[in-house]
Amino acid sequence: MSLYRNSAWFLKGLTEFTKGGFLSASKNFVEKDLETSMAGRSFMITGANSGIGKATAMAIAKKGGTIHMVCRNKDKAEEARAEIVKESGNKEIYVHILDLTETKKVWEFAESFKKKYKTLNVLINNAGCMMAKREVNDEGLEKSFVSNSLAVYILIKSLIPLLEKSPEPRVITVSSGGMLVQKLRTGNLQSQRGRYDGTMVYAQNKRQQMVMTEQFAKAHPNIHFSVMHPGWVDTPIIANAMPDFHSSMKERLRTPEQGADTVVWLAVSEAAVKNPSGRFFQDRQMVSAHLPLAWTHSSQLEDQKFMSIMEDLASSFQPQ
């Protein structure tokens, strides 16, 4: 990361990504955007038992939406489900247990879901993984890449047919402002070369999500795709993976509900889909996916190469 990118990103973060940034942006929110019933619409949310995912599930459940919580830990998922049901009064909350670092199981889950359920209106890729050191799964793939990128690709790829036959389908991916300091690197997707920096690997994965969203949006115009930055939020992933940042910024971090606001807006509002598909959002506004003069743009050829690599990888683990 260049000194310019680092400095520009941090200064932007202090003014826009904090709790204060949210409160400032929220003055321009149109509250009636969220005054809508979601009864009869179904939502899949990964990582829905804590943080932004749980806050998103709670908000949509209160609007009557059917929620499919995709979580790794059964006990935590069931505890979160009970809390959502109790507070929302909505019993249409379902728990699905899945470890997104296990590629074959992601495929199996998605294919099974398609057979069991007739509709899926909104897919929300929220779950995130930030590793302290490089680890590989049983398939030999780096875990952060699998969880943050390949699993997202597989879920979207597998569930597109179900989404396309459902009314007003949307796919939303929860990203990170960290992607603003990263340019797509197709030559080191598994982080095999150089020193492993979990924070930068995570940021690279988030850039990959942005490219995926842009490319899927072009290929599937009937689905509204979006990526959003929740700001700097007080969540378990920040507390556990970035303890120094968390402790120094704790009073300025957004609440999970504030972080989830734009996810919910993208998932339920009519205003959201008036924006073009395949774009990046922050605080209910479409914003640039690049810092000015940061040279993080990749070529169309590089983006297509990345998607080809993802397709080949994903297909190699697809159940026959």
Side-chain angles (χ1 to χ4, degrees):
M1 187 198 319
S2 72
L3 179 60
Y4 166 76
R5 285 186 204 167
N6 189 19
S7 302
W9 174 81
F10 191 69
L11 289 173
K12 183 179 178 68
L14 288 175
T15 56
E16 297 181 20
F17 303 165
T18 58
K19 184 184 296 182
F22 176 83
L23 294 175
S24 177
S26 67
K27 294 175 183 177
N28 296 315
F29 290 175
V30 178
E31 288 311 311
K32 69 176 182 179
D33 283 354
L34 300 186
E35 294 173 1
T36 178
S37 171
M38 289 295 107
R41 286 179 66 79
S42 61
F43 301 77
M44 180 186 291
I45 308 171
T46 64
N49 62 276
S50 66
I52 295 167
K54 181 181 176 184
T56 300
M58 180 70 82
I60 297 175
K62 288 180 177 179
K63 297 180 183 300
T66 297
I67 307 293
H68 295 280
M69 304 171 60
V70 180
C71 309
R72 184 166 55 95
N73 185 295
K74 188 176 189 301
D75 291 340
K76 290 180 180 179
E78 292 293 352
E79 182 180 343
R81 179 193 178 275
E83 185 179 334
I84 292 168
V85 170
K86 182 179 180 180
E87 188 171 328
S88 69
N90 184 348
K91 294 182 179 179
E92 296 295 304
I93 315 296
Y94 303 96
V95 167
H96 307 268
I97 303 305
L98 174 67
D99 186 340
L100 291 173
T101 66
E102 299 181 24
T103 315
K104 289 180 181 177
K105 289 186 178 180
V106 176
W107 266 118
E108 290 167 359
F109 163 74
E111 294 297 309
S112 174
F113 187 92
K114 279 193 300 190
K115 293 175 183 177
K116 186 173 182 179
Y117 297 96
K118 294 180 180 179
T119 61
L120 178 65
N121 301 101
V122 183
L123 168 62
I124 301 174
N125 297 301
N126 164 74
C129 171
M130 190 184 298
M131 307 296 295
K133 61 180 181 179
R134 188 178 187 276
E135 295 181 27
V136 298
N137 63 9
D138 291 340
E139 297 149 336
L141 301 174
E142 194 270 322
K143 285 186 176 182
S144 184
F145 167 74
V146 176
S147 180
N148 298 327
S149 297
L150 188 57
V152 169
Y153 182 93
I154 291 170
L155 284 176
I156 294 174
K157 177 82 174 179
S158 177
L159 294 172
I160 276 175
L162 184 58
L163 286 159
E164 286 188 324
K165 71 177 186 180
S166 304
E168 299 179 39
R170 309 181 189 191
V171 175
I172 301 148
T173 300
V174 178
S175 185
S176 162
M179 79 156 198
L180 295 171
V181 303
Q182 287 286 316
K183 181 178 181 178
L184 179 67
R185 298 193 311 270
T186 57
N188 194 28
L189 295 178
Q190 300 288 322
S191 305
Q192 293 169 302
R193 298 199 301 273
R195 185 179 67 88
Y196 188 90
D197 182 332
T199 305
M200 288 299 102
V201 170
Y202 180 80
Q204 172 64 202
N205 295 157
K206 295 301 177 178
R207 173 58 69 189
Q208 293 162 13
Q209 290 177 350
M210 185 70 239
V211 173
M212 272 190 268
T213 296
E214 292 169 338
Q215 296 300 312
F216 274 124
K218 292 177 183 177
H220 302 278
N222 294 330
I223 302 174
H224 190 272
F225 288 85
S226 59
V227 181
M228 63 77 65
H229 173 35
W232 292 341
V233 184
D234 192 355
T235 62
I237 192 170
I238 296 297
N240 296 331
M242 303 172 68
D244 292 341
F245 176 81
H246 182 265
S247 60
S248 65
M249 294 293 295
K250 186 168 178 58
E251 298 305 315
R252 305 178 74 172
L253 296 178
R254 299 182 179 195
T255 66
E257 290 73 23
Q258 291 171 337
D261 178 83
T262 296
V263 188
V264 177
W265 181 78
L266 286 165
V268 310
S269 77
E270 287 300 317
V273 293
K274 291 179 181 177
N275 292 285
S277 182
R279 301 300 179 88
F280 185 54
F281 292 81
Q282 177 184 307
D283 292 333
R284 303 194 194 182
Q285 292 290 320
M286 189 170 67
V287 296
S288 175
H290 303 273
L291 289 172
L293 304 176
W295 304 106
T296 53
H297 293 77
S298 51
S299 67
Q300 184 176 352
L301 190 62
E302 190 76 358
D303 291 349
Q304 291 172 346
K305 178 182 178 182
F306 168 70
M307 293 298 283
S308 178
I309 292 171
M310 297 299 282
E311 177 62 25
D312 289 346
L313 258 182
S315 296
S316 68
F317 293 100
Q318 185 173 8
Q320 300 301 316

PDB file of all heavy atoms in Angstrom, residues 12-27 29 252 254 282-283:
ATOM      1  N   LYS A  12     -10.022   9.911   5.188  1.00  0.00           N
ATOM      2  CA  LYS A  12     -11.397   9.712   4.733  1.00  0.00           C
ATOM      3  C   LYS A  12     -12.183   8.959   5.797  1.00  0.00           C
ATOM      4  O   LYS A  12     -13.334   9.292   6.096  1.00  0.00           O
ATOM      5  CB  LYS A  12     -11.394   8.916   3.421  1.00  0.00           C
ATOM      6  CG  LYS A  12     -12.779   8.691   2.800  1.00  0.00           C
ATOM      7  CD  LYS A  12     -12.641   7.918   1.500  1.00  0.00           C
ATOM      8  CE  LYS A  12     -13.990   7.626   0.849  1.00  0.00           C
ATOM      9  NZ  LYS A  12     -14.650   8.838   0.351  1.00  0.00           N
ATOM     10  N   GLY A  13     -11.532   7.954   6.385  1.00  0.00           N
ATOM     11  CA  GLY A  13     -12.185   7.148   7.408  1.00  0.00           C
ATOM     12  C   GLY A  13     -12.584   7.955   8.631  1.00  0.00           C
ATOM     13  O   GLY A  13     -13.684   7.792   9.174  1.00  0.00           O
ATOM     14  N   LEU A  14     -11.695   8.831   9.070  1.00  0.00           N
ATOM     15  CA  LEU A  14     -11.968   9.628  10.257  1.00  0.00           C
ATOM     16  C   LEU A  14     -13.184  10.536  10.067  1.00  0.00           C
ATOM     17  O   LEU A  14     -13.920  10.821  11.021  1.00  0.00           O
ATOM     18  CB  LEU A  14     -10.738  10.470  10.634  1.00  0.00           C
ATOM     19  CG  LEU A  14      -9.560   9.702  11.227  1.00  0.00           C
ATOM     20  CD1 LEU A  14      -8.375  10.642  11.434  1.00  0.00           C
ATOM     21  CD2 LEU A  14      -9.946   9.046  12.554  1.00  0.00           C
ATOM     22  N   THR A  15     -13.387  10.997   8.858  1.00  0.00           N
ATOM     23  CA  THR A  15     -14.510  11.910   8.606  1.00  0.00           C
ATOM     24  C   THR A  15     -15.783  11.189   8.180  1.00  0.00           C
ATOM     25  O   THR A  15     -16.882  11.660   8.473  1.00  0.00           O
ATOM     26  CB  THR A  15     -14.145  12.943   7.522  1.00  0.00           C
ATOM     27  OG1 THR A  15     -13.730  12.246   6.334  1.00  0.00           O
ATOM     28  CG2 THR A  15     -13.020  13.839   7.995  1.00  0.00           C
ATOM     29  N   GLU A  16     -15.644  10.030   7.510  1.00  0.00           N
ATOM     30  CA  GLU A  16     -16.820   9.376   6.935  1.00  0.00           C
ATOM     31  C   GLU A  16     -17.192   8.031   7.550  1.00  0.00           C
ATOM     32  O   GLU A  16     -18.376   7.682   7.593  1.00  0.00           O
ATOM     33  CB  GLU A  16     -16.609   9.172   5.430  1.00  0.00           C
ATOM     34  CG  GLU A  16     -16.458  10.457   4.638  1.00  0.00           C
ATOM     35  CD  GLU A  16     -16.273  10.174   3.153  1.00  0.00           C
ATOM     36  OE1 GLU A  16     -16.638   9.061   2.699  1.00  0.00           O
ATOM     37  OE2 GLU A  16     -15.762  11.055   2.440  1.00  0.00           O
ATOM     38  N   PHE A  17     -16.205   7.247   7.995  1.00  0.00           N
ATOM     39  CA  PHE A  17     -16.478   5.859   8.386  1.00  0.00           C
ATOM     40  C   PHE A  17     -16.862   5.693   9.848  1.00  0.00           C
ATOM     41  O   PHE A  17     -17.269   4.614  10.269  1.00  0.00           O
ATOM     42  CB  PHE A  17     -15.263   4.971   8.100  1.00  0.00           C
ATOM     43  CG  PHE A  17     -14.791   4.991   6.661  1.00  0.00           C
ATOM     44  CD1 PHE A  17     -13.535   4.494   6.333  1.00  0.00           C
ATOM     45  CD2 PHE A  17     -15.589   5.488   5.645  1.00  0.00           C
ATOM     46  CE1 PHE A  17     -13.087   4.492   5.022  1.00  0.00           C
ATOM     47  CE2 PHE A  17     -15.153   5.503   4.326  1.00  0.00           C
ATOM     48  CZ  PHE A  17     -13.900   5.013   4.016  1.00  0.00           C
ATOM     49  N   THR A  18     -16.694   6.736  10.646  1.00  0.00           N
ATOM     50  CA  THR A  18     -16.947   6.675  12.086  1.00  0.00           C
ATOM     51  C   THR A  18     -18.420   6.856  12.417  1.00  0.00           C
ATOM     52  O   THR A  18     -19.250   7.115  11.544  1.00  0.00           O
ATOM     53  CB  THR A  18     -16.147   7.769  12.797  1.00  0.00           C
ATOM     54  OG1 THR A  18     -16.538   9.035  12.230  1.00  0.00           O
ATOM     55  CG2 THR A  18     -14.648   7.578  12.618  1.00  0.00           C
ATOM     56  N   LYS A  19     -18.718   6.761  13.724  1.00  0.00           N
ATOM     57  CA  LYS A  19     -20.074   7.028  14.203  1.00  0.00           C
ATOM     58  C   LYS A  19     -20.504   8.448  13.840  1.00  0.00           C
ATOM     59  O   LYS A  19     -21.640   8.689  13.429  1.00  0.00           O
ATOM     60  CB  LYS A  19     -20.124   6.824  15.716  1.00  0.00           C
ATOM     61  CG  LYS A  19     -21.509   6.970  16.331  1.00  0.00           C
ATOM     62  CD  LYS A  19     -21.449   6.836  17.860  1.00  0.00           C
ATOM     63  CE  LYS A  19     -20.990   5.449  18.264  1.00  0.00           C
ATOM     64  NZ  LYS A  19     -20.984   5.287  19.746  1.00  0.00           N
ATOM     65  N   GLY A  20     -19.571   9.386  13.978  1.00  0.00           N
ATOM     66  CA  GLY A  20     -19.864  10.770  13.625  1.00  0.00           C
ATOM     67  C   GLY A  20     -20.180  10.914  12.149  1.00  0.00           C
ATOM     68  O   GLY A  20     -21.062  11.692  11.759  1.00  0.00           O
ATOM     69  N   GLY A  21     -19.469  10.161  11.315  1.00  0.00           N
ATOM     70  CA  GLY A  21     -19.730  10.186   9.881  1.00  0.00           C
ATOM     71  C   GLY A  21     -21.126   9.685   9.559  1.00  0.00           C
ATOM     72  O   GLY A  21     -21.815  10.235   8.691  1.00  0.00           O
ATOM     73  N   PHE A  22     -21.543   8.652  10.281  1.00  0.00           N
ATOM     74  CA  PHE A  22     -22.900   8.125  10.073  1.00  0.00           C
ATOM     75  C   PHE A  22     -23.953   9.141  10.495  1.00  0.00           C
ATOM     76  O   PHE A  22     -24.933   9.373   9.770  1.00  0.00           O
ATOM     77  CB  PHE A  22     -23.104   6.825  10.853  1.00  0.00           C
ATOM     78  CG  PHE A  22     -24.507   6.289  10.765  1.00  0.00           C
ATOM     79  CD1 PHE A  22     -24.900   5.534   9.672  1.00  0.00           C
ATOM     80  CD2 PHE A  22     -25.436   6.556  11.765  1.00  0.00           C
ATOM     81  CE1 PHE A  22     -26.201   5.055   9.574  1.00  0.00           C
ATOM     82  CE2 PHE A  22     -26.738   6.083  11.677  1.00  0.00           C
ATOM     83  CZ  PHE A  22     -27.121   5.327  10.575  1.00  0.00           C
ATOM     84  N   LEU A  23     -23.762   9.735  11.660  1.00  0.00           N
ATOM     85  CA  LEU A  23     -24.745  10.702  12.159  1.00  0.00           C
ATOM     86  C   LEU A  23     -24.868  11.892  11.211  1.00  0.00           C
ATOM     87  O   LEU A  23     -25.962  12.419  10.992  1.00  0.00           O
ATOM     88  CB  LEU A  23     -24.358  11.163  13.563  1.00  0.00           C
ATOM     89  CG  LEU A  23     -24.414  10.068  14.643  1.00  0.00           C
ATOM     90  CD1 LEU A  23     -23.889  10.602  15.967  1.00  0.00           C
ATOM     91  CD2 LEU A  23     -25.829   9.537  14.807  1.00  0.00           C
ATOM     92  N   SER A  24     -23.738  12.285  10.635  1.00  0.00           N
ATOM     93  CA  SER A  24     -23.763  13.384   9.680  1.00  0.00           C
ATOM     94  C   SER A  24     -24.501  12.981   8.407  1.00  0.00           C
ATOM     95  O   SER A  24     -25.361  13.716   7.908  1.00  0.00           O
ATOM     96  CB  SER A  24     -22.329  13.814   9.347  1.00  0.00           C
ATOM     97  OG  SER A  24     -22.320  14.835   8.373  1.00  0.00           O
ATOM     98  N   ALA A  25     -24.187  11.803   7.878  1.00  0.00           N
ATOM     99  CA  ALA A  25     -24.823  11.326   6.648  1.00  0.00           C
ATOM    100  C   ALA A  25     -26.309  11.077   6.847  1.00  0.00           C
ATOM    101  O   ALA A  25     -27.119  11.303   5.939  1.00  0.00           O
ATOM    102  CB  ALA A  25     -24.135  10.046   6.168  1.00  0.00           C
ATOM    103  N   SER A  26     -26.678  10.607   8.037  1.00  0.00           N
ATOM    104  CA  SER A  26     -28.069  10.229   8.288  1.00  0.00           C
ATOM    105  C   SER A  26     -29.029  11.415   8.243  1.00  0.00           C
ATOM    106  O   SER A  26     -30.243  11.232   8.111  1.00  0.00           O
ATOM    107  CB  SER A  26     -28.198   9.518   9.640  1.00  0.00           C
ATOM    108  OG  SER A  26     -27.927  10.402  10.712  1.00  0.00           O
ATOM    109  N   LYS A  27     -28.490  12.624   8.327  1.00  0.00           N
ATOM    110  CA  LYS A  27     -29.344  13.811   8.229  1.00  0.00           C
ATOM    111  C   LYS A  27     -30.011  13.911   6.855  1.00  0.00           C
ATOM    112  O   LYS A  27     -31.034  14.580   6.706  1.00  0.00           O
ATOM    113  CB  LYS A  27     -28.511  15.069   8.507  1.00  0.00           C
ATOM    114  CG  LYS A  27     -27.985  15.156   9.936  1.00  0.00           C
ATOM    115  CD  LYS A  27     -27.056  16.356  10.120  1.00  0.00           C
ATOM    116  CE  LYS A  27     -26.485  16.385  11.525  1.00  0.00           C
ATOM    117  NZ  LYS A  27     -25.519  17.510  11.710  1.00  0.00           N
ATOM    118  N   PHE A  29     -30.928  11.102   5.144  1.00  0.00           N
ATOM    119  CA  PHE A  29     -31.685   9.884   4.875  1.00  0.00           C
ATOM    120  C   PHE A  29     -33.175  10.211   4.711  1.00  0.00           C
ATOM    121  O   PHE A  29     -33.704  11.084   5.401  1.00  0.00           O
ATOM    122  CB  PHE A  29     -31.536   8.874   6.014  1.00  0.00           C
ATOM    123  CG  PHE A  29     -30.176   8.247   6.135  1.00  0.00           C
ATOM    124  CD1 PHE A  29     -29.876   7.397   7.198  1.00  0.00           C
ATOM    125  CD2 PHE A  29     -29.178   8.487   5.200  1.00  0.00           C
ATOM    126  CE1 PHE A  29     -28.627   6.822   7.331  1.00  0.00           C
ATOM    127  CE2 PHE A  29     -27.917   7.903   5.314  1.00  0.00           C
ATOM    128  CZ  PHE A  29     -27.646   7.074   6.388  1.00  0.00           C
ATOM    129  N   ARG A 252     -15.402   5.799  18.734  1.00  0.00           N
ATOM    130  CA  ARG A 252     -15.807   6.394  17.458  1.00  0.00           C
ATOM    131  C   ARG A 252     -16.380   5.367  16.491  1.00  0.00           C
ATOM    132  O   ARG A 252     -16.801   5.726  15.390  1.00  0.00           O
ATOM    133  CB  ARG A 252     -14.609   7.111  16.824  1.00  0.00           C
ATOM    134  CG  ARG A 252     -13.976   8.150  17.750  1.00  0.00           C
ATOM    135  CD  ARG A 252     -12.774   8.820  17.138  1.00  0.00           C
ATOM    136  NE  ARG A 252     -13.162   9.767  16.097  1.00  0.00           N
ATOM    137  CZ  ARG A 252     -12.311  10.607  15.511  1.00  0.00           C
ATOM    138  NH1 ARG A 252     -11.028  10.610  15.863  1.00  0.00           N
ATOM    139  NH2 ARG A 252     -12.717  11.448  14.581  1.00  0.00           N
ATOM    140  N   ARG A 254     -18.951   2.723  14.824  1.00  0.00           N
ATOM    141  CA  ARG A 254     -20.394   2.657  14.653  1.00  0.00           C
ATOM    142  C   ARG A 254     -20.963   1.444  15.386  1.00  0.00           C
ATOM    143  O   ARG A 254     -20.278   0.445  15.586  1.00  0.00           O
ATOM    144  CB  ARG A 254     -20.757   2.549  13.172  1.00  0.00           C
ATOM    145  CG  ARG A 254     -20.307   3.717  12.330  1.00  0.00           C
ATOM    146  CD  ARG A 254     -20.750   3.575  10.891  1.00  0.00           C
ATOM    147  NE  ARG A 254     -20.333   4.723  10.091  1.00  0.00           N
ATOM    148  CZ  ARG A 254     -20.802   5.011   8.886  1.00  0.00           C
ATOM    149  NH1 ARG A 254     -21.706   4.220   8.327  1.00  0.00           N
ATOM    150  NH2 ARG A 254     -20.385   6.075   8.234  1.00  0.00           N
ATOM    151  N   GLN A 282     -22.292   3.653   0.230  1.00  0.00           N
ATOM    152  CA  GLN A 282     -21.910   4.012   1.598  1.00  0.00           C
ATOM    153  C   GLN A 282     -22.957   4.994   2.134  1.00  0.00           C
ATOM    154  O   GLN A 282     -23.245   6.006   1.486  1.00  0.00           O
ATOM    155  CB  GLN A 282     -20.530   4.676   1.607  1.00  0.00           C
ATOM    156  CG  GLN A 282     -20.051   5.158   2.966  1.00  0.00           C
ATOM    157  CD  GLN A 282     -18.716   5.878   2.854  1.00  0.00           C
ATOM    158  OE1 GLN A 282     -17.768   5.334   2.291  1.00  0.00           O
ATOM    159  NE2 GLN A 282     -18.652   7.104   3.353  1.00  0.00           N
ATOM    160  N   ASP A 283     -23.531   4.687   3.258  1.00  0.00           N
ATOM    161  CA  ASP A 283     -24.543   5.552   3.876  1.00  0.00           C
ATOM    162  C   ASP A 283     -25.634   5.963   2.902  1.00  0.00           C
ATOM    163  O   ASP A 283     -25.942   7.147   2.721  1.00  0.00           O
ATOM    164  CB  ASP A 283     -23.869   6.776   4.515  1.00  0.00           C
ATOM    165  CG  ASP A 283     -23.018   6.390   5.722  1.00  0.00           C
ATOM    166  OD1 ASP A 283     -23.337   5.368   6.357  1.00  0.00           O
ATOM    167  OD2 ASP A 283     -22.044   7.096   6.013  1.00  0.00           O
TER     168      ASP A 283
END
